[in-house]
Amino acid sequence: MSERNIEALKDKDIFSGLKGGNITSSIELLYDRYFRETIDLVKFMGGNEEDGADVFQEVVLVLIEKIKEDKFRQESSIKTFLFSITRNVWLMELRTRERRKKREVHYTSGESTIQQMGLLNKSSSDIHVVFNRLGDICKRILIGFYFENKSMNVLLKEFDFKNEQVLRNRKHTCMRKLKEILSENQELLQSLKSDFIYE
């Protein structure tokens, strides 16, 4: 029997197992046959070993779902189908990471703004005036993050925010408010200008 025929028979075993309920042995077959190749494909596309393992798990779940919903009709081999899903899943993950990276840059850009403003080096009375106008939550977030070097993770435990993204959004809003306060208060702005150029 040719290798192609053997592969087709194994595909039928996997398909009928996933379709009929013998999922465990079918998943084991998928791991034996395609796990390593999936990892290699993801690595070829810029990922690493861990990325490949994560993608494979997701791809197997997609395959099971497609078979259960009669959306995989065996018009192509399971290998071809899996690798097609792998490419799509990995490209989607890369796009997500790129967006996350841009958001991270956006949300951390406030740090350079605060340092450009020279607030870290000003007298406590000047800082007190600025931060008291921000309100308690903003004051605690910005002081915690920029002055006390607390991580977002640590700050999240101190506040009642739903998740870290909500906290980052709030920090961004607080930074915008801080800039507005300094822009509107020319007297305070002039007192801070001796040590920095405000942009």
Side-chain angles (χ1 to χ4, degrees):
M1 188 178 290
S2 71
E3 189 176 326
R4 188 172 179 177
N5 287 339
I6 291 169
E7 186 172 328
L9 280 173
K10 287 182 178 176
D11 273 6
K12 283 184 180 178
D13 288 343
I14 292 170
F15 180 85
S16 59
L18 294 176
K19 181 83 173 168
N22 190 9
I23 291 179
T24 305
S25 61
S26 293
I27 289 175
E28 284 173 3
L29 267 174
L30 286 170
Y31 267 88
D32 287 344
R33 298 183 71 194
Y34 305 120
F35 182 68
R36 185 70 254 164
E37 286 184 80
T38 300
I39 287 176
D40 290 342
L41 177 59
V42 170
K43 286 171 77 174
F44 177 75
M45 296 173 71
N48 58 34
E49 198 87 11
E50 189 178 339
D51 294 327
D54 290 343
V55 167
F56 182 77
Q57 289 175 14
E58 191 171 340
V59 163
V60 168
L61 292 174
V62 171
L63 176 65
I64 293 169
E65 185 181 316
K66 296 289 184 190
I67 289 174
K68 297 272 186 195
E69 294 174 355
D70 290 323
K71 291 180 179 175
F72 176 65
R73 298 186 178 85
Q74 295 178 286
E75 291 163 358
S76 63
S77 69
I78 285 180
K79 178 178 180 177
T80 302
F81 190 72
L82 280 177
F83 286 3
S84 173
I85 298 170
T86 297
R87 279 190 290 273
N88 291 336
V89 167
W90 179 240
L91 289 173
M92 192 178 298
E93 173 63 20
L94 286 176
R95 284 193 292 270
T96 301
R97 289 182 184 186
E98 187 60 32
R99 285 195 298 270
R100 194 181 302 134
K101 188 176 173 183
K102 285 179 182 174
R103 276 201 307 271
E104 187 67 27
V105 168
H106 177 70
Y107 287 123
T108 56
S109 63
E111 182 169 2
S112 60
T113 304
I114 274 201
Q115 294 190 351
Q116 283 172 3
M117 289 175 178
L119 291 177
L120 297 179
N121 302 316
K122 298 310 293 179
S123 70
S124 60
S125 62
D126 287 336
I127 293 169
H128 188 71
V129 169
V130 172
F131 282 97
N132 273 350
R133 287 196 54 198
L134 287 174
D136 188 55
I137 302 261
C138 280
K139 177 179 172 181
R140 286 168 56 205
I141 289 172
L142 295 180
I143 288 176
F145 189 79
Y146 294 110
F147 289 78
E148 297 169 357
N149 295 317
K150 291 180 181 177
S151 69
M152 295 305 280
N153 216 15
V154 169
L155 286 172
L156 189 58
K157 292 172 185 171
E158 295 181 13
F159 294 93
D160 192 26
F161 290 110
K162 186 177 177 183
N163 55 46
E164 188 175 313
Q165 190 57 53
V166 174
L167 175 57
R168 287 186 182 281
N169 291 342
R170 186 60 180 270
K171 180 171 80 70
H172 177 66
T173 302
C174 293
M175 276 303 307
R176 196 168 62 240
K177 193 173 176 183
L178 174 62
K179 290 184 206 175
E180 286 169 7
I181 289 170
L182 288 170
S183 298
E184 291 167 6
N185 191 331
Q186 290 302 312
E187 187 178 328
L188 177 59
L189 181 57
Q190 290 304 319
S191 76
L192 293 170
K193 270 189 173 178
S194 59
D195 289 341
F196 63 90
I197 298 173
Y198 180 70
E199 298 175 350

